[in-house]
Amino acid sequence: MTQNFHTQVLDITTGTDEVVVDLTATCEAFLRERADGRDGLLNVFVPHATAGLAVLETGAGSDDDLLAALRELLPADDRWLHRHGSPGHGRDHVLPALVPPHATLPVVGGRLVLGTWQSVCLVDTNGDNPHRQVRLSFLG
């Protein structure tokens, strides 16, 4: 089998509020263009120190529950040693330890293999940086 590597960078505006952005449809479109029906792996990577990727259910409140849990675990207050940016910004730098900046997902027959309710999501709690990049890479 000949393996091919394809990559693309997405520019995403997340705004100044905490958000969970569903990237699933964009990942699927990338695979339709690049996977050509092959099996392989899709790697999704966020090259930022204050954002992460999660595979979770969206649209039924789980995305809001995730943000609420992160607010509880990582309060935006003055406890953080990392102090540049807006108040509590240090917590944004801890986020990737809990919500990693990468996900590697199976691709079978050129299609992303996810569970029924799973979505690929960008998680951004950093209102100081409203523009993000996400790199999609297919190896197959």
Side-chain angles (χ1 to χ4, degrees):
M1 171 175 117
T2 301
Q3 291 198 344
N4 293 300
F5 180 80
H6 301 279
T7 191
Q8 174 182 338
V9 175
L10 309 174
D11 291 310
I12 298 174
T13 299
T14 56
T16 58
D17 294 326
E18 301 172 334
V19 293
V20 174
V21 179
D22 189 341
L23 302 174
T24 309
T26 304
C27 291
E28 290 170 339
F30 170 75
L31 290 171
R32 278 192 300 277
E33 290 178 13
R34 301 298 185 176
D36 196 30
R38 294 186 307 272
D39 295 349
L41 296 171
L42 174 67
N43 181 265
V44 187
F45 178 69
V46 181
H48 298 282
T50 58
L53 290 160
V55 177
L56 76 156
E57 178 181 14
T58 59
S62 297
D63 37 353
D64 292 330
D65 289 341
L66 173 61
L67 292 174
L70 290 171
R71 280 191 294 275
E72 199 168 309
L73 288 169
L74 304 171
D77 58 23
D78 65 357
R79 74 184 67 203
W80 307 102
L81 297 177
H82 187 103
R83 293 189 183 267
H84 77 82
S86 61
H89 175 64
R91 65 114 183 209
D92 299 321
H93 286 275
V94 176
L95 173 77
L98 301 175
V99 182
H102 58 87
T104 301
L105 306 162
V107 176
V108 176
R111 300 190 63 189
L112 189 57
V113 179
L114 292 171
T116 302
W117 303 111
Q118 289 181 316
S119 297
V120 181
C121 299
L122 170 65
V123 180
D124 188 1
T125 60
N126 179 7
D128 292 345
N129 187 355
H131 303 286
R132 299 299 185 160
Q133 289 189 330
V134 176
R135 179 175 293 279
L136 305 179
S137 300
F138 174 71
L139 177 64

